[in-house]
Amino acid sequence: MSESDAVAGRLVRPFALTGGRTRPSRACFTLIATVTAVDPPPERAPRPQPEQARILRRCARPVAVAELAALLDLPVSVVVIMLCDLLEAGLITVHPPHPVTDRTLDLDLLQKVRDGLGRL
Amino acid sequence: MAGSEASAAETPAAPDTVKILIAGGFGVGKTTMVGSVSEIVPLRTEEPLTMAGLGVDDLAGIERKKATTVALDFGRITINDRLVLYLFGTPGQQRFWFMWNDLAVGALGAVVLFDVRRPEASFAAVDFFERRGIPFVVGVNGFDGAHPYPPEEIRDSLALPEGVPVVLCDARERESSRDVLITLLDLLIASAVGGTGSA
Ligand SMILES: Nc1nc2c(ncn2[C@@H]2O[C@H](COP(=O)(O)OP(=O)(O)OP(=O)(O)O)[C@@H](O)[C@H]2O)c(=O)[nH]1
Ligand SMILES: [Mg+2]
C-alpha cells in the first residue's frame, strides 16, 4: 500500500508542484532547484527527444539546475525551457530550494550550515 | 508497477539546497574565493545576454548573438547528505548587475569582497545588499597577502552599517575563505537568535 502510494506520489508530484496547472512554470526551476529523472518513466510519457534524453541521463540522480546547465554546456535559460517540457511529460520531478525569507531563516538550518563549514 | 519499487528505492532523495552570493566589483577575487572553498572545480554557465533576465518563452533566436554572454560561476559544498550549499560568484562588471536581482532571491546572505588596493570597485555592491536588507559580511582580499589597513579603518571608510563584520582574508586560501563564510553564518545565527539586534 505505502509503496504504491509512493509510486503514485512520484507520478503526480510534478503537477502538484505546479498547482494543478498543466503548463509548468519556469519559476519552478531556480538555479539551485534539484531535478531528478522519474525512473522508470511513466507508461504514457512521450518518447524523449535526443536532447531530452541527454538531460534525463544527467539527472538519474538529483542534480541542481545550474549544475545541469554547466554539465550540458547550455545556457540555464535553455535548460529550463527543456526541463519544463520534461516536467510536463512527467519524466522528471523538481525539488525546490530550501525556502529563505526573513521570517523563515531557521536556526536549525543555519547551525547545520555553520557546522558543515566548520568541518571543512 | 511491480518492478518500479526497486529503482524508486535506489534513487537518492533530492537534498535541500541553499546559496550564498560572493559579490563585489570587477576582478576583486570572487571566482577565486568560490574556487578555494568549493568541493568541485567551479562550474560555469554562459547566458546569452539577449535571454538573461528577460522573460523569453521560446528558443527562437538562440543561435544568433552567441557573442554576448554573461558568465556565472559557482561552487558547491556538501553540508550533509540532506543539505547542499552553493556559492555563486556574481558577475563583476556593472553592466551585468541586472542578474544580481535574480541571484539574490532566496540567498542566505552574501560576502562582499574588496580588493584592498581599489576599494571603490565594491562600493556599489555594498549599496546593493544594504538597500535590499540582505545580510552580508565584507571580506577584504589582501592581494599578495598584504593588509595595509586594519578592519576598523576599512569599516569607517566604507561607512558600513553597524553590525556588518569586516574580515581580512586571502581569497586564494581555503581556510581563509571558509572563515569569511563562517563569519557570515555567525551573523545570520546571531540575528535569528536575537531578533532585533539584541545579539
Ligand atoms: N595575488 C593575488 N591574486 C589574486 C587574489 N585573489 C584573486 N587574485 C587574482 O586576481 C584575478 C581576478 O580574480 P578573480 O577571482 O577572477 O576575480 P573576480 O572577482 O571573479 O573577477 P570578475 O568575475 O571578472 O569580476 C585573478 O587573476 C586571480 O588569480 C589574491 O588574494 N592575491
Ligand atoms: Mg569571476
Side-chain angles (χ1 to χ4, degrees):
Chain A
M1 185 67 172
S2 65
E3 274 171 350
S4 63
D5 280 347
V7 172
R10 287 163 61 82
L11 297 183
V12 299
R13 191 142 184 261
F15 300 97
L17 275 174
T18 55
R21 277 173 290 125
T22 38
R23 184 72 201 166
S25 160
R26 287 185 299 147
C28 302
F29 299 105
T30 66
L31 288 171
I32 60 168
T34 44
V35 295
T36 312
V38 171
D39 180 29
E43 274 164 34
R44 283 185 299 166
R47 194 184 187 79
Q49 308 290 317
E51 271 299 303
Q52 293 181 320
R54 225 177 126 221
I55 290 186
L56 289 172
R57 279 195 297 277
R58 290 286 190 179
C59 58
R61 308 180 130 257
V63 59
V65 170
E67 285 192 71
L68 197 53
L71 291 168
L72 296 167
D73 197 18
L74 287 171
V76 172
S77 49
V78 174
V79 171
V80 164
I81 290 168
M82 295 198 287
L83 288 175
C84 279
D85 293 341
L86 290 170
L87 182 63
E88 197 172 13
L91 290 166
I92 59 168
T93 56
V94 55
H95 181 72
H98 192 94
V100 172
T101 64
D102 293 352
R103 299 279 161 262
T104 61
L105 261 188
D106 59 296
L107 205 49
D108 182 53
L109 172 83
L110 295 173
Q111 199 61 56
K112 279 185 182 132
V113 175
R114 166 84 175 68
D115 293 347
L117 290 170
R119 285 192 297 270
L120 282 184
Chain B
M1 284 286 162
S4 62
E5 282 119 33
S7 39
E10 281 161 23
T11 309
D16 261 357
T17 52
V18 291
K19 67 180 171 183
I20 289 174
L21 307 189
I22 313 295
F26 183 57
V28 295
K30 301 179 294 291
T31 302
T32 304
M33 176 169 273
V34 169
S36 73
V37 280
S38 173
E39 68 197 17
I40 51 172
V41 175
L43 295 173
R44 162 172 282 243
T45 67
E46 304 269 345
E47 198 72 3
L49 264 189
T50 46
M51 303 193 70
L54 303 173
V56 179
D57 278 318
D58 58 61
L59 299 177
I62 275 180
E63 292 311 309
R64 288 178 287 132
K65 294 215 79 160
K66 267 260 159 80
T68 340
T69 62
V70 53
L72 189 65
D73 41 34
F74 61 97
R76 185 209 311 137
I77 298 172
T78 300
I79 300 297
N80 59 45
D81 58 358
R82 307 296 323 274
L83 185 59
V84 177
L85 168 65
Y86 285 91
L87 304 173
F88 284 90
T90 56
Q93 279 172 285
Q94 203 125 11
R95 64 195 176 99
F96 295 146
W97 275 28
F98 62 90
M99 281 190 76
W100 288 34
N101 283 317
D102 282 353
L103 277 172
V105 174
L108 290 178
V111 172
V112 178
L113 265 188
F114 277 75
D115 177 343
V116 74
R117 303 165 303 181
R118 43 184 191 94
E120 67 286 351
S122 293
F123 285 172
V126 168
D127 285 348
F128 179 91
F129 293 108
E130 214 185 321
R131 285 221 187 90
R132 284 165 183 76
I134 297 168
F136 66 98
V137 300
V138 165
V140 183
N141 191 18
F143 275 70
D144 302 316
H147 281 292
Y149 313 108
E152 277 319 308
E153 199 167 316
I154 290 165
R155 164 187 303 287
D156 289 347
S157 72
L158 296 176
L160 285 177
E162 194 69 18
V164 175
V166 177
V167 197
L168 304 180
C169 68
D170 184 332
R172 299 165 300 177
E173 297 290 334
R174 180 182 169 87
E175 286 78 17
S176 180
S177 298
R178 176 203 62 196
D179 289 346
V180 176
L181 293 173
I182 288 179
T183 304
L184 174 63
L185 262 298
D186 285 342
L187 176 73
L188 297 172
I189 288 168
S191 68
V193 170
T196 50
S198 59

